[in-house]
Amino acid sequence: IEKLYSQGIPNHGPTQTKSIDEILKEIEQEAGLHAQNNILPLEEQLSFSDTLTYSHSQAQDITNPSILPPLNSLQEQLSLSDTLTFSHSQAQNSTFPILQIIPILEPTKGGYSMTEEPEIVLEFYDESQALQLELNDIELILNLVESAGEPTQDSPNSLGLITDFIGILLFKIPSVDAAKPENLKDTKDIAKDNKSSDKAKIKQLKNEIKQLKQDKTLSTDEIKDLKSKLKILALQLKETKQNAKLNSEITKIEKLANEFKETQKDNWNGNKETITAEIFDSKNNKVNLAVEFVKQREGKFNIKIDPLNAKPGIYKIKTILNVNGNQFVSESQFAWGLVSVNSMKSIYKPTETAKFEIVILNATGNPVCPANVLMQIIAPNLQSTTLSSNDIVEDSCGLYTADYPTSVTGNYTINVQADTGNGIANFETYFTVLDKYDYDIIRYTPSKIDPFTEPNDFDVEIDITSFVGNNELTIRDYVPSSFNIFNTDATVETIGNQKVITWHKTPKDGFVDTLVYSYSVPLITPELYPLGKITIDQSGIPTFTEARNWFVAVDPQFLVSTDVSTIDDKWQNSNKRIVAINSTHLYSFYLDGASDLHYDSSTNGGYTWTTGADLYSPDTGISYNGMGVWYEPSTPGRTNKVIHIAAFDSG
């Protein structure tokens, strides 16, 4: 401090007592720092309450480094008990405006299959704002490196005065018996020589940043160019690093320059912001699903949601963002498993007819009937074909079929739009057409099942033809671990959350075999389960993987989405209508042999049933021909736990 002050006005008097704030003000005025560097006045950045008493004669002597007084005498003259507070953000010469935060939360696409991880994008800084922040980060790291390396400046009007001054106050002054340098001037010159190249590089980068700020326009390429130069600087600093603190800053440079995408589980806790995410089902119940945050850049995150334990339906995601001392809450919706498309074959050959089964569910995961469905298929040559209600057949409630004649080879894109009663659900998938491929796989099994009114025993048949080799094949199919597997000659083992069904078969004239197994499912509704993808291994041939999963919807609930009709076949039968109040309590409604409207109940998920009673017996000579059942909570927005029953007779 004496050295700094001695460089100022010579008429200070022989001995004076001044506050440090007064000394700083004089230094600032004499060095012209405020005008040259356009930073805030130093007294606003540095806070002291102690005063400094010093000898002016010593201050004059100290201007000659060769007669530097013992450091312990300087220590004896300085008495500082307060803490130095330096705000780097105040010192930055930023010409950019304060960034406005407007969070946007959107899914990456209209709908997801049950095997997909929904990705929701949270963006609260746009691309331009993110580039500004990155530029400020680069400037900050350069200042930290400059400070850590203790660079010196030849000119008394440079920022080096302040850096040296802060260094005196922040670092412990050596004790009286510390080793003294034999020649301080020589040591200082050597340090300057070792650091000159690094200092020049830092100065060059800071000048580039200053110019970019003056231009007030930034591009991604300009930031990439700066980061490339940062990498080179980091390599140079590794060769000339002087202390552990500089080594720490080198690590920060490498992290900033390499642009890797950081990920965190469950919540995001960053240096600049924190984010939490909550997931809710269509009834606004919070669901426990694992989430992962992936930082794309400053102010932009992808939030991935694990499909394990998810059910089909409409979901809401709520994010809570804390940044710059403010909190922002955002919400968005996404559809999960409302539309699924099964292709009868994994791969088709040109001119073959592709056959599809489509399942349409509503926000609560229940089948929709009738549904307005549009299916657009875009061929590899970009020729587009749209299938509408005239081309798509309703096989049963929520289940629809469609055919499409293939032509050229390549990937065909499928876009499905369906009115689910809660809005339009969108789903995108694809299928493949090739001239040659290793194996033909055709799967025969229902796309929608009812384990409550039908035996909980569903068959799967898989025809496999080999076009390569005649060696033994190892064929594996995959189902959820909650399935029970029986009626098969395959081996079955549980690995993680899957059951693996394995056959060993040898092709005969290309045809392998018809592989069979049966399965039962937990009596839980609604659910959408994936089967597959089948894999085939043969010695000397790469593993073949089925192109698509096959999806099975479990949903026995019969929803009334239109008026009961005496014409539509779906009303004119006495099959049981099951209403699931929850996963354990079920009611079954049906017409018995006497045409009476009857119900039974179950309290264990349908494993056993208790006989109920007749709800209504028609007058003599009147028999019921059909009925419909509707449970209000199965319709989104309805919360009354009421079961509605409609029955009609021949009159």
Side-chain angles (χ1 to χ4, degrees):
I1 293 174
E2 292 172 323
K3 178 181 177 181
L4 294 174
Y5 191 67
S6 68
Q7 295 175 0
I9 301 172
N11 300 320
H12 294 305
T15 301
Q16 298 183 28
T17 299
K18 284 182 176 288
S19 71
I20 292 181
D21 287 343
E22 291 174 329
I23 295 175
L24 289 175
K25 188 172 183 179
E26 290 187 22
I27 293 173
E28 180 188 8
Q29 291 172 345
E30 295 163 20
L33 293 176
H34 181 68
Q36 291 186 17
N37 295 299
N38 192 28
I39 61 176
L40 294 175
L42 288 177
E43 56 266 32
E44 295 182 18
Q45 301 175 46
L46 306 173
S47 177
F48 301 92
S49 61
D50 289 331
T51 59
L52 170 66
T53 302
Y54 65 95
S55 166
H56 183 61
S57 60
Q58 285 182 323
Q60 291 176 333
D61 291 339
I62 204 170
T63 58
N64 185 351
S66 63
I67 56 173
L68 182 70
L71 290 176
N72 64 299
S73 64
L74 179 60
Q75 182 181 21
E76 292 170 359
Q77 298 173 54
L78 295 176
S79 176
L80 298 177
S81 60
D82 286 359
T83 302
L84 169 65
T85 302
F86 177 76
S87 172
H88 189 276
S89 61
Q90 287 179 313
Q92 286 183 358
N93 177 22
S94 176
T95 58
F96 288 121
I98 297 175
L99 300 182
Q100 185 179 13
I101 298 175
I102 305 177
I104 299 174
L105 188 66
E106 291 182 338
T108 56
K109 59 181 185 178
Y112 303 89
S113 74
M114 291 309 300
T115 57
E116 287 184 294
E117 288 185 330
E119 282 196 49
I120 316 298
V121 178
L122 173 63
E123 183 176 15
F124 49 93
Y125 293 136
D126 62 25
E127 190 73 29
S128 174
Q129 292 173 319
L131 292 174
Q132 293 177 26
L133 289 171
E134 288 193 88
L135 186 65
N136 287 342
D137 285 344
I138 294 172
E139 183 180 34
L140 173 61
I141 198 69
L142 290 174
N143 288 335
L144 291 174
V145 169
E146 194 172 44
S147 174
E150 299 179 7
T152 59
Q153 303 287 346
D154 294 332
S155 170
N157 293 333
S158 70
L159 190 59
L161 287 172
I162 303 305
T163 306
D164 289 342
F165 175 73
I166 293 171
I168 292 174
L169 294 178
L170 287 180
F171 294 102
K172 181 179 179 181
I173 299 173
S175 60
V176 64
D177 57 350
K180 302 175 184 177
E182 295 181 0
N183 191 324
L184 181 63
K185 185 176 186 302
D186 292 343
T187 303
K188 189 173 182 180
D189 289 341
I190 293 172
K192 281 187 176 181
D193 291 339
N194 289 338
K195 298 176 183 177
S196 59
S197 176
D198 297 340
K199 289 167 60 180
K201 177 65 70 174
I202 293 172
K203 183 177 180 180
Q204 177 187 348
L205 289 174
K206 292 179 73 173
N207 286 337
E208 290 185 33
I209 292 172
K210 182 179 179 181
Q211 183 61 49
L212 288 173
K213 286 190 173 185
Q214 289 176 350
D215 294 342
K216 295 187 178 181
T217 58
L218 280 174
S219 69
T220 303
D221 289 340
E222 288 170 330
I223 294 296
K224 286 183 177 179
D225 181 60
L226 281 175
K227 289 184 176 181
S228 297
K229 294 175 181 177
L230 273 183
K231 291 180 182 179
I232 297 173
L233 175 62
L235 293 175
Q236 291 178 347
L237 291 174
K238 280 184 176 181
E239 297 177 357
T240 60
K241 62 185 179 184
Q242 302 295 317
N243 53 53
K245 184 177 179 182
L246 183 57
N247 190 43
S248 173
E249 305 308 336
I250 293 172
T251 302
K252 293 177 183 177
I253 290 179
E254 292 175 330
K255 182 178 179 180
L256 179 63
N258 288 329
E259 297 187 282
F260 71 94
K261 292 183 179 180
E262 184 180 355
T263 63
Q264 293 186 23
K265 300 284 188 180
D266 300 327
N267 298 294
W268 178 267
N269 292 295
N271 295 327
K272 301 177 182 178
E273 69 282 298
T274 63
I275 310 170
T276 59
E278 298 175 341
I279 313 297
F280 300 86
D281 63 18
S282 62
K283 298 179 181 178
N284 209 35
N285 297 316
K286 187 176 179 180
V287 293
N288 185 24
L289 297 174
V291 297
E292 180 183 57
F293 293 84
V294 182
K295 185 174 182 179
Q296 303 297 314
R297 57 162 172 78
E298 288 293 339
K300 185 176 182 180
F301 293 81
N302 278 20
I303 305 172
K304 297 182 178 181
I305 306 172
D306 193 334
L308 185 65
N309 301 324
K311 297 178 182 293
I314 294 287
Y315 287 83
K316 178 181 74 175
I317 179 172
K318 181 172 80 172
T319 59
I320 302 171
L321 165 68
N322 291 286
V323 61
N324 293 346
N326 297 310
Q327 186 174 96
F328 303 87
V329 178
S330 305
E331 294 184 354
S332 184
Q333 283 189 337
F334 61 95
W336 207 351
L338 296 192
V339 180
S340 60
V341 179
N342 288 328
S343 175
M344 299 302 294
K345 287 181 59 174
S346 173
I347 303 173
Y348 293 91
K349 290 188 175 181
T351 72
E352 281 188 321
T353 298
K355 295 183 177 294
F356 304 103
E357 291 187 357
I358 308 163
V359 175
I360 309 296
L361 307 176
N362 66 11
T364 56
N366 303 115
V368 178
C369 54
N372 185 16
V373 184
L374 289 177
M375 185 175 185
Q376 181 190 40
I377 301 177
I378 303 174
N381 58 8
L382 301 183
Q383 181 178 350
S384 177
T385 302
T386 299
L387 306 180
S388 62
S389 55
N390 294 329
D391 312 294
I392 300 173
V393 178
E394 181 182 353
D395 275 9
S396 62
C397 185
L399 179 63
Y400 304 83
T401 60
D403 294 343
Y404 171 80
T406 65
S407 54
V408 298
T409 60
N411 286 336
Y412 288 67
T413 301
I414 301 175
N415 294 305
V416 178
Q417 286 188 342
D419 186 351
T420 66
N422 317 107
I424 302 298
N426 296 280
F427 180 74
E428 181 178 320
T429 186
Y430 71 95
F431 69 95
T432 304
V433 174
L434 297 175
D435 286 319
K436 295 181 180 180
Y437 46 92
D438 291 349
Y439 303 97
D440 216 3
I441 300 175
I442 306 176
R443 189 189 292 264
Y444 302 96
T445 193
S447 295
K448 188 169 75 74
I449 61 175
D450 180 356
F452 298 92
T453 61
E454 303 170 5
N456 194 358
D457 178 354
F458 302 96
D459 297 330
V460 178
E461 293 186 2
I462 305 168
D463 286 345
I464 296 182
T465 301
S466 174
F467 303 121
V468 290
N470 292 303
N471 298 318
E472 183 182 75
L473 308 180
T474 299
I475 305 165
R476 297 180 178 90
D477 198 9
Y478 304 84
V479 300
S481 59
S482 58
F483 280 27
N484 291 320
I485 305 298
F486 45 92
N487 296 337
T488 183
D489 60 349
T491 60
V492 181
E493 60 179 333
T494 301
I495 301 177
N497 61 353
Q498 290 184 316
K499 275 193 169 72
V500 182
I501 309 167
T502 305
W503 296 266
H504 298 281
K505 301 288 184 178
T506 301
K508 295 180 181 179
D509 298 327
F511 182 71
V512 178
D513 204 347
T514 297
L515 311 179
V516 297
Y517 65 89
S518 299
Y519 68 90
S520 63
V521 298
L523 292 177
I524 300 174
T525 182
E527 281 286 1
L528 187 66
Y529 293 112
L531 309 185
K533 304 174 182 177
I534 290 173
T535 62
I536 303 177
D537 288 298
Q538 182 177 179
S539 177
I541 297 174
T543 298
F544 179 87
T545 302
E546 189 178 15
R548 306 167 43 81
N549 289 101
W550 183 280
F551 291 95
V552 176
V554 181
D555 202 325
Q557 299 184 41
F558 194 88
L559 300 184
V560 178
S561 56
T562 60
D563 294 336
V564 175
S565 169
T566 60
I567 299 175
D568 196 327
D569 288 342
K570 66 173 173 277
W571 305 107
Q572 297 182 16
N573 60 66
S574 59
N575 287 345
K576 294 180 179 180
R577 315 298 195 209
I578 306 295
V579 172
I581 305 302
N582 51 46
S583 61
T584 58
H585 288 68
L586 313 175
Y587 290 94
S588 174
F589 301 91
Y590 58 95
L591 300 180
D592 63 15
S595 297
D596 293 335
L597 186 57
H598 191 87
Y599 85 93
D600 297 331
S601 63
S602 174
T603 58
N604 57 10
Y607 284 102
T608 60
W609 291 88
T610 300
T611 301
D614 290 341
L615 294 175
Y616 180 75
S617 296
D619 295 334
T620 303
I622 299 177
S623 60
Y624 282 121
N625 294 339
M627 66 169 184
V629 177
W630 169 47
Y631 180 49
E632 281 200 34
S634 298
T635 300
R638 306 298 290 267
T639 58
N640 294 328
K641 294 185 177 181
V642 177
I643 300 172
H644 299 266
I645 305 167
F648 58 88
D649 57 29
S650 58

